[in-house]
Amino acid sequence: MIIDIHGHYTTAPEALEVWRKRQIAGIKNPSEMPRASELRISDDELRESIESNQLRLMRERGLDLTIFSPRASFMAHHIGDFQVSSTWAAICNELCYRVSRLFPDHFVPAAMLPQSPGVDPVTCIPELVKCVEEFGNVALNLNPDPSGGHWNSPPLSDRYWYPIYQKMVEYDIPAMIHVSTSCNPCFHTTGAHYLNADTTAFMQCLRSDLFKDFPTLRFVIPHGGGAVPYHWGRFRGLAQEMRKPLLKDHLLNNVFFDTCVYHQAGIDLLARVIPVDNILFASEMIGAVRGIDPETGHSYDDTKRYVEAAQIDPEQRHRIYEANARRVYPRLDSALKAKGR
């Protein structure tokens, strides 16, 4: 089985974006604020949006299952207040849940949290509880910068985030550390802000003793870990200067990297530098990079091609494709075993 741990609902029916625009307009003019019940998307519309997009490509590329969360750039936690974020998160999470019910063999949901700048993360707990207990979510996406590129939240090691971590440990679910849209003109959303955040999140963990407080807490750093694997000597050296344990002892029981690196040399280096047990297959299909690479003639986000071509043995490839995901996402593993998979 090939499990893609990084999928977003980037092809949701147009009605979702129309409703969101009305919600944003309603922030300034409350009389225009739509009710959640005014968004009507049929099962047939959901099927069409999935069958002609994500599911079609999964079949073409030989992928079996995707951990599926709301579109990352649409989270936009910096827009409006907590109530705006709460309503928007609930809508987006329900759509991913409905997709998982329509295509139970191919999609498993992961939760978007209703974060809002300056608002206590404890306010996210009810939505997280609902998503895990009612929707069967196996993970969550945690935005370390709800401000949208201005970085005014405490680092991930701060006790500010502990209510979410406590719930993650209770449910035994990981978090993908994933920012959303940048509203800071210095940082392009997918070309800078995403990769900056990946690197920043890792460094925040490196500097801290977070995993002493939460030894079973698990973070997935997407997009190949930002700059981390490609400057591994720098991070090893910084840990040494800070008198931290070796990275393999200090972080790699808790921090994992995905394969959303859209060229062969990047995947090759990732597989050489990072232990195979810390690499999870992912594609972020129909996401930030959707074009055809003129050097290869294939889609940039067809990451399975890169893993197949990497100089690793079949057993290591199996761990990247399936075994590591089952270990890092225990609720996924339990669900698959219940289905005899």
Side-chain angles (χ1 to χ4, degrees):
M1 177 180 290
I2 298 180
I3 301 170
D4 185 339
I5 60 99
H6 190 166
H8 297 303
Y9 199 179
T10 57
T11 62
E14 185 180 359
L16 180 65
E17 185 171 0
V18 171
W19 188 94
R20 175 62 163 170
K21 288 179 178 177
R22 290 182 59 201
Q23 186 193 39
I24 294 171
I27 295 170
K28 291 185 178 180
N29 186 352
S31 66
E32 297 182 13
M33 182 66 73
R35 296 185 298 275
S37 60
E38 293 177 42
L39 176 62
R40 295 183 177 89
I41 298 176
S42 69
D43 284 354
D44 284 343
E45 289 176 293
L46 293 180
R47 287 191 188 95
E48 181 181 0
S49 72
I50 293 295
E51 289 175 341
S52 59
N53 293 293
Q54 281 91 351
L55 188 55
R56 173 181 61 83
L57 290 176
M58 287 172 66
R59 287 169 172 160
E60 289 177 1
R61 298 174 184 180
L63 313 185
D64 298 295
L65 186 72
T66 296
I67 296 178
F68 203 52
S69 62
R71 185 175 178 177
S73 63
F74 266 28
M75 294 191 298
H77 293 119
H78 61 281
I79 294 177
D81 56 13
F82 172 75
Q83 187 57 50
V84 169
S85 285
S86 181
T87 302
W88 179 233
I91 285 173
C92 293
N93 285 330
E94 184 175 8
L95 286 180
C96 289
Y97 167 64
R98 288 175 61 191
V99 167
S100 75
R101 292 294 298 272
L102 292 170
F103 303 95
D105 292 334
H106 299 288
F107 295 93
V108 176
M112 162 186 169
L113 297 181
Q115 297 177 245
S116 188
V119 177
D120 190 333
V122 76
T123 56
C124 297
I125 299 302
E127 180 68 18
L128 175 57
V129 169
K130 179 189 73 177
C131 284
V132 173
E133 297 189 359
E134 297 180 27
F135 292 172
N137 282 216
V138 300
L140 62 92
N141 290 343
L142 180 63
N143 185 350
D145 174 37
S147 73
H150 294 289
W151 290 95
N152 51 22
S153 292
L156 290 170
S157 55
D158 194 272
R159 297 188 69 86
Y160 173 83
W161 300 100
Y162 276 28
I164 292 177
Y165 300 159
Q166 289 162 354
K167 214 65 185 174
M168 288 172 58
V169 169
E170 176 186 340
Y171 285 137
D172 201 13
I173 59 174
M176 178 172 283
I177 307 301
H178 206 310
V179 290
S180 185
T181 301
S182 171
C183 58
N184 184 334
C186 295
F187 304 123
H188 182 273
T189 294
T190 56
H193 188 42
Y194 281 14
L195 304 182
N196 294 346
D198 303 334
T199 309
T200 297
F202 183 86
M203 191 65 202
Q204 288 177 357
C205 293
L206 186 155
R207 296 180 65 190
S208 76
D209 293 319
L210 172 63
F211 299 120
K212 288 184 179 179
D213 287 347
F214 297 99
T216 62
L217 189 69
R218 298 182 301 281
F219 289 160
V220 177
I221 309 293
H223 318 115
V228 176
Y230 318 101
H231 293 278
W232 194 238
R234 175 181 292 263
F235 291 101
R236 288 175 54 239
L238 288 169
Q240 181 175 314
E241 290 179 8
M242 294 175 187
R243 304 186 189 284
K244 298 290 185 182
L246 296 175
L247 287 185
K248 64 182 180 67
D249 301 322
H250 180 42
L251 293 183
L252 293 187
N253 290 325
N254 307 88
V255 177
F256 304 86
F257 303 84
D258 78 12
T259 62
C260 292
V261 182
Y262 298 139
H263 66 133
Q264 189 64 52
I267 290 292
D268 292 342
L269 183 59
L270 177 68
R272 285 201 300 270
V273 171
I274 301 299
V276 168
D277 285 342
N278 291 80
I279 302 174
L280 304 173
F281 177 76
S283 67
E284 195 189 356
M285 196 162 52
I286 317 180
V289 182
R290 305 187 185 191
I292 302 296
D293 185 345
E295 295 182 4
T296 66
H298 300 293
S299 297
Y300 285 101
D301 63 5
D302 187 357
T303 52
K304 181 171 177 280
R305 288 181 176 274
Y306 310 135
V307 177
E308 288 293 316
Q311 297 299 306
I312 55 177
D313 62 45
E315 194 277 332
Q316 291 175 317
R317 197 169 283 113
H318 167 71
R319 279 186 272 167
I320 291 173
Y321 281 150
E322 178 180 0
N324 293 345
R326 285 178 177 268
R327 176 168 51 87
V328 176
Y329 297 77
R331 284 180 172 265
L332 172 64
D333 185 51
S334 296
L336 290 174
K337 287 178 178 176
K339 295 179 179 180
R341 300 174 72 183

